[in-house]
Amino acid sequence: MLAKIGSAAVLGLEAQPVEVEVDVRQSGQAGITTIVGLPDAAVRESTERVRAAIRNSGFSFPGNQRITVNLAPADLRKEGPAYDLAIAIGVLSASGQIPPGSLEGAILMGELSLDGSLRHVRGVLPVADMARRQDIAAMFVPTADAAEAALIPELEVYPVATLGELVVHLQGFVAITPLAPGAQLQPQPPPPAVDFAEIQGQEHAKRALEVVAAGGHNMMMSGPPGAGKTLMARAVPGILPALSLEEALEVTRIYSVSDMLPPDTPLIQQRPFRAPHHTISNAGLVGGGQWPRPGEISLAHRGVLFLDEMPEFNSRVLEVMRQPMEDKAVTISRAQGSLTFPANFMLIAAMNPCPCGYYGDPDRACTCSIGMIQRYRKRISGPLLDRIDIHIEVPRVPYEKLAKATRGESSASIRARIEAARVRQRARFGNNSLACNADMGPAELRQFCTLGNDVQALMRTAMRQMHLSARAYHRVLKVARTIADLEGTEAIQVHHLAEALQYRTRMMDL
Ligand SMILES: Nc1ncnc2c1ncn2[C@@H]1O[C@H](COP(=O)(O)OP(=O)(O)OP(=O)(O)O)[C@@H](O)[C@H]1O
Ligand SMILES: [Mg+2]
């Protein structure tokens, strides 16, 4: 008998339907199971798990017959153990242990344990999304992944704990109750982070961080050891605006295919904050591998990528971020074609001004030679620096300020201003899918960043004196737009542009 069961493959962030065909017959060599369409090692392992799971669940594995399993289409690359459940149900159906046709229009996913219980699989969210778009009515997934699938509305999601439970459901004895579908954002407290109130002094840097968070811009902090650069970056999650449901689903999809969704968190509701170590590889940063997985720049999508001690990163690795930073997405080419992952992140970078750390410090002499300093700074290329909107110097905080008992403004109150500025931005963009000023392209810049005559005059002078590139010009305009939004004014005024320009001055030249 032949049985056909629906399943799916995940490629990049997208899912595609896979049909699992199982044929069980008397003729030919009995006792041999062939699986067509999976890599060899995966076939062997899956066969073993399916056989054991069926027997240990109290059903019979037709060992005295010939079993052929075909995962179609053949040219689609498939991996992993997520087909176990569909194969097992196919075997039981083709051998007459489940009524035929009971799973029409459904997708099954799940890895089997030898005892028949179902294990978590990655990529359930993109599969559920594909199922809805293809008018598939139901999905059967491991209990651990059911809430994730149920984020997609109009899809019947059945949580399955064991193979036996699903068989009994299909035989019509004990029904599994589907989950109520549809994602809802629960109001979330901001994540635990250093509170801005704990940071003494550094008013200039704190203001710059507020602008960065309000408009989704990039930033570089430069300063001596112990000035508080790492501390301030770690305070940023506490002032980031909340994710919209749409954004939360985007982020969750990336974490789902990366198999990084925390247990009990079907929907990611906090903006990511990623701080990779400087020994990270190319593939680790931008994504890649034999089965391409998202890298840190995609894991930071809609959130922050913090590169602490940026000159310590391999400069060739840093350079691969250049195109993704412009495109807000990364394309990975492979033999079978290319894959795109979103990578719309805010870059926050920190560095010392020189190898010893004290160049430009008023109280402590720098011991580096000019050559050493130049070599150190050259590790971050001009084109990369050009993509950073806001450059600030973070000096050491004098003792008098550190010892003061007064607390600064709290993260909560800064966050409220940032939320208000974001509301203004979204209202301006209308149903354009842009989320913040950093997302503006040339068309939006022309439309939303018109300058009055006096402001234009300042821009003209600055372009000439600061030798700004066209890219820098556009980036300065966006920052000025954000500063005006924080103030709640529609027109960009001279003092908004002046502040934006002042963030553009690079680290002290030698
Ligand atoms: N402005 C500040 N307010 C309160 N505490 C501070 C401040 N600056 C630094 N500190 C204290 O000093 C510690 C070290 O600061 P931090 O690690 O942020 O320095 P850094 O600028 O990253 O230095 P490095 O260049 O060596 O990485 C902090 O954990 C904090 O305890
Ligand atoms: Mg540090």
Side-chain angles (χ1 to χ4, degrees):
M1 233 180 4
L2 177 71
K4 295 184 179 184
I5 310 290
S7 193
V10 180
L11 278 171
L13 289 191
E14 301 298 325
Q16 287 180 39
V18 166
E19 189 163 55
V20 179
E21 301 170 326
V22 183
D23 185 58
V24 177
R25 58 186 61 237
Q26 292 289 357
S27 61
Q29 274 177 298
I32 301 236
T33 306
T34 324
I35 302 184
V36 187
L38 272 183
D40 288 347
V43 167
R44 259 195 318 276
E45 290 166 11
S46 186
T47 311
E48 288 314 310
R49 284 193 303 266
V50 167
R51 195 197 319 262
I54 287 180
R55 288 193 174 140
N56 291 333
S57 303
F59 307 105
S60 87
F61 188 86
N64 53 355
Q65 303 180 46
R66 188 185 162 83
I67 302 175
T68 313
V69 179
N70 181 36
L71 306 185
D75 58 356
L76 184 67
R77 280 185 73 180
K78 308 167 206 77
E79 62 161 335
Y83 304 103
D84 287 0
L85 182 62
I87 295 173
I89 292 294
V91 168
L92 292 171
S93 176
S95 57
Q97 300 176 71
I98 296 176
S102 48
L103 274 168
E104 239 152 72
I107 280 187
L108 274 64
M109 275 179 100
E111 174 180 345
L112 284 169
S113 302
L114 301 183
D115 64 1
S117 60
L118 279 164
R119 287 218 179 112
H120 150 80
V121 288
R122 70 177 188 94
V124 164
L125 179 59
V127 172
D129 194 26
M130 177 276 287
R132 189 224 351 219
R133 278 184 279 117
Q134 306 227 347
D135 288 326
I136 289 164
M139 237 180 117
F140 292 83
V141 297
T143 307
D145 303 320
E148 185 187 332
L151 293 174
I152 300 294
E154 296 156 40
L155 186 69
E156 218 151 66
V157 176
Y158 293 87
V160 184
T162 64
L163 178 64
E165 189 186 80
L166 178 55
V167 172
V168 171
H169 168 87
L170 296 172
Q171 289 171 336
F173 294 126
V174 185
I176 302 175
T177 319
L179 282 194
Q184 252 136 43
L185 281 180
Q186 313 294 339
Q188 293 274 310
V194 179
D195 200 287
F196 270 70
E198 304 303 328
I199 303 168
Q200 303 290 346
Q202 304 296 19
E203 303 310 329
H204 181 59
K206 285 197 246 179
R207 164 69 182 174
L209 284 168
E210 180 174 337
V211 174
V212 164
H217 305 291
N218 298 326
M219 167 162 164
M220 162 71 86
M221 290 183 273
S222 165
K229 303 180 293 297
T230 303
L231 181 77
M232 284 190 283
R234 300 234 168 247
V236 168
I239 62 166
L240 290 177
L243 282 173
S244 69
L245 179 57
E246 199 66 25
E247 291 173 324
L249 285 167
E250 277 174 31
V251 175
T252 303
R253 182 186 269 260
I254 296 170
Y255 280 72
S256 171
V257 303
S258 309
D259 209 359
M260 286 171 63
L261 271 183
D264 310 320
T265 308
L267 181 65
I268 292 189
Q269 301 192 41
Q270 310 280 13
R271 289 186 189 269
F273 182 91
R274 304 290 304 174
H277 190 251
H278 58 72
T279 52
I280 192 168
S281 70
N282 226 313
L285 189 64
V286 298
Q290 198 196 349
W291 299 97
R293 297 284 161 90
E296 289 292 334
I297 62 171
S298 296
L299 294 170
H301 180 60
R302 301 286 180 199
V304 173
L305 180 69
F306 175 43
L307 300 184
D308 206 357
E309 322 282 351
M310 198 180 190
E312 301 298 328
F313 285 72
N314 180 325
S315 47
R316 276 207 297 278
V317 172
L318 289 180
E319 290 305 296
V320 295
M321 287 202 316
R322 272 164 59 175
Q323 204 49 43
M325 282 177 75
E326 295 289 274
D327 300 345
K328 304 194 181 295
V330 57
T331 301
I332 297 165
S333 24
R334 318 170 304 148
Q336 291 80 12
S338 57
L339 284 177
T340 300
F341 294 122
N344 188 354
F345 59 91
M346 293 159 49
L347 174 67
I348 296 183
M351 65 180 285
N352 297 127
C354 66
C356 85
Y358 293 100
Y359 181 83
D361 193 285
D363 307 322
R364 208 161 146 171
C366 167
T367 57
C368 309
S369 72
I370 297 289
M372 279 164 73
I373 301 177
Q374 281 171 337
R375 268 198 305 285
Y376 177 77
R377 294 199 186 163
K378 259 212 276 228
R379 292 194 208 159
I380 306 171
S381 73
L384 199 54
L385 286 175
D386 203 39
R387 285 164 170 77
I388 297 179
D389 311 301
I390 291 183
H391 296 254
I392 55 157
E393 275 161 37
V394 181
R396 265 187 304 146
V397 184
Y399 170 75
E400 296 73 46
K401 273 197 183 164
L402 261 187
K404 261 207 317 220
T406 53
R407 283 162 56 96
E409 188 181 10
S410 73
S411 292
S413 99
I414 299 173
R415 190 176 195 229
R417 271 198 305 275
I418 288 168
E419 291 279 10
R422 286 276 178 129
V423 167
R424 233 166 262 132
Q425 295 167 54
R426 275 197 303 275
R428 184 178 306 120
F429 297 139
N431 40 18
N432 214 321
S433 69
L434 307 184
C436 59
N437 289 333
D439 292 347
M440 287 191 286
E444 291 84 24
L445 275 169
R446 243 191 324 277
Q447 195 182 346
F448 303 130
C449 302
T450 46
L451 303 179
N453 285 340
D454 50 341
V455 193
Q456 268 185 33
L458 171 60
M459 191 58 139
R460 207 172 305 119
T461 317
M463 285 283 290
R464 225 182 2 251
Q465 287 184 354
M466 297 167 71
H467 310 292
L468 294 184
S469 68
R471 178 190 295 122
Y473 165 72
H474 283 150
R475 286 182 175 267
V476 166
L477 265 185
K478 293 183 201 180
V479 173
R481 177 69 273 163
T482 301
I483 293 168
D485 285 334
L486 272 170
E487 202 182 278
T489 31
E490 207 35 54
I492 298 176
Q493 295 164 13
V494 168
H495 67 283
H496 303 139
L497 181 62
E499 184 180 344
L501 283 167
Q502 163 237 303
Y503 293 134
R504 200 71 206 183
T505 42
R506 297 272 177 75
M507 296 164 280
M508 322 139 266
D509 291 317
L510 291 173

